[in-house]
Amino acid sequence: MHEKKQVGTLYMNDFQTKREFAALFSQNMNRHQPMNLYFLNDHGFNIAQKDPEYNEVLNRADYLLNDGIGIKLGAKLWGIRLRENLNGTDLIPVLLDQCARNHWSVYLLGAAPKVVRAAAQKLSEKHTHLHIAGIHDGYFDSDEQIIAEINQSGADVLLVGMGMPLQEKFIDRNTHALAPLVRIAVGGFFDFASETKPRAPKLMRRLNLEWLFRMALEPQRMWKRNVVGHAQFFAKVLWLKWSSRH
Ligand code: UDP
């Protein structure tokens, strides 16, 4: 396991490129090493400050990768240099290509029924030979029934797209019951993969402005998360850094 580095109350990884993490993913799969993989952005960091249980869940991740410009700058304040943005929406397709090539099957759990169905369709078209072992929407009452379905599917990799903090908590509390070797919390990935929601143009993504694009699409939901959330995040990261020194 790679050593994690402290950013305030959380411990995260500092892989520099998607390629570097993808190599480790394959290596772990080949060695049958189980892993829970989550992504940290400033919204998740803010939730963790108010929800100590979620903070612990994130710290139990085998890998916690950086998502977005906020966490990159916040990490820098704690002396951690991060190069590429490893957000799920860009990294998952790289991992799915590896799954297709190595015949590792995938289960999709999350989003509304028609969104996850469309996501499965589009992903099978995009990643030739990808075996999708099963799908289920993210609105259910009983963990047991879903876990039984996932395990019966024989999937090697489980993608859980139910938003923060629900998805990470689902994975964490069911770690020992879930048969897939790898469980990844993928946020809104199925919304994008199904093309239900458009992604920001490449240039905006390269300039780390995807958050601005998402805010233009969903101003009411994203305004608070982005503008107020970014301010809260930096205030907290700076405060934690200052108090750790005094
Ligand atoms: N979702 C779900 N079950 C729930 C609540 C949400 O499957 O009980 C799905 C929702 O349909 C959407 C995703 O979770 O596809 C949340 O996406 P969001 O962009 O909010 O993820 P975040 O950035 O919060 O991780």
Side-chain angles (χ1 to χ4, degrees):
M1 253 249 311
H2 282 240
E3 199 193 325
K4 289 201 235 159
K5 311 265 167 73
Q6 184 181 5
V7 179
T9 59
L10 288 160
Y11 292 82
M12 64 183 296
N13 290 101
D14 59 347
F15 291 95
Q16 297 300 302
T17 61
K18 287 188 270 303
R19 187 192 281 241
E20 187 189 348
F21 184 78
L24 178 99
F25 172 81
S26 277
Q27 194 185 69
N28 281 3
M29 287 295 290
N30 285 323
R31 292 180 180 165
H32 296 282
Q33 196 165 324
M35 64 167 152
N36 290 346
L37 163 62
Y38 312 144
F39 296 87
L40 182 65
N41 57 26
D42 42 5
H43 176 58
F45 186 96
N46 286 345
I47 300 175
Q49 301 314 302
K50 293 181 196 132
D51 180 349
E53 184 207 329
Y54 185 54
N55 201 91
E56 280 177 31
V57 166
L58 293 181
N59 282 337
R60 275 196 290 271
D62 296 301
Y63 298 98
L64 186 62
L65 306 184
N66 55 298
D67 169 9
I69 182 72
I71 206 72
K72 181 175 179 171
L73 298 176
K76 201 168 179 188
L77 293 170
W78 282 76
I80 303 165
R81 289 195 162 273
L82 298 166
R83 202 164 99 202
E84 265 182 36
N85 183 4
L86 300 187
N87 72 338
T89 319
D90 288 322
L91 179 68
I92 308 299
V94 178
L95 304 184
L96 290 179
D97 273 337
Q98 291 187 335
C99 290
R101 235 176 289 132
N102 292 284
H103 310 289
W104 298 322
S105 60
V106 178
Y107 192 104
L108 315 182
L109 173 66
K114 72 171 197 278
V115 173
V116 70
R117 264 198 308 274
Q121 175 69 33
K122 296 271 178 200
L123 289 173
S124 341
E125 286 165 15
K126 199 164 152 217
H127 305 273
T128 328
H129 306 306
L130 178 69
H131 176 49
I132 297 184
I135 63 169
H136 198 287
D137 63 81
Y139 299 86
F140 51 86
D141 295 325
S142 141
D143 281 10
E144 283 69 32
Q145 205 184 322
I146 298 296
I147 291 167
E149 279 184 39
I150 294 168
N151 292 352
Q152 270 161 24
S153 77
D156 301 297
V157 175
L158 171 65
L159 305 187
V160 187
M162 305 195 304
M164 300 167 186
L166 221 61
Q167 54 194 12
E168 291 86 0
K169 287 185 175 179
F170 172 86
I171 295 173
D172 185 78
R173 71 173 172 266
N174 296 309
T175 290
H176 301 294
L178 285 166
L181 203 57
V182 174
R183 307 93 187 202
I184 312 178
V186 300
F189 177 68
F190 302 141
D191 297 319
F192 298 113
S194 62
E195 294 171 17
T196 309
K197 281 187 192 175
R199 282 207 75 193
K202 271 214 174 93
L203 181 64
M204 276 187 106
R205 269 146 58 189
R206 212 171 312 132
L207 295 173
N208 279 308
L209 290 175
E210 184 150 24
W211 62 272
L212 194 61
F213 183 82
R214 288 187 72 180
M215 194 161 89
L217 286 185
E218 298 178 85
Q220 274 179 333
R221 191 168 83 104
M222 289 302 185
W223 156 258
K224 198 164 167 226
R225 190 190 280 199
N226 281 329
V227 179
V228 182
H230 282 323
Q232 272 174 348
F233 168 74
F234 282 112
K236 187 74 189 186
V237 170
L238 279 167
W239 164 248
L240 289 168
K241 186 68 196 158
W242 186 83
S243 19
S244 75
R245 282 208 186 128
H246 295 81

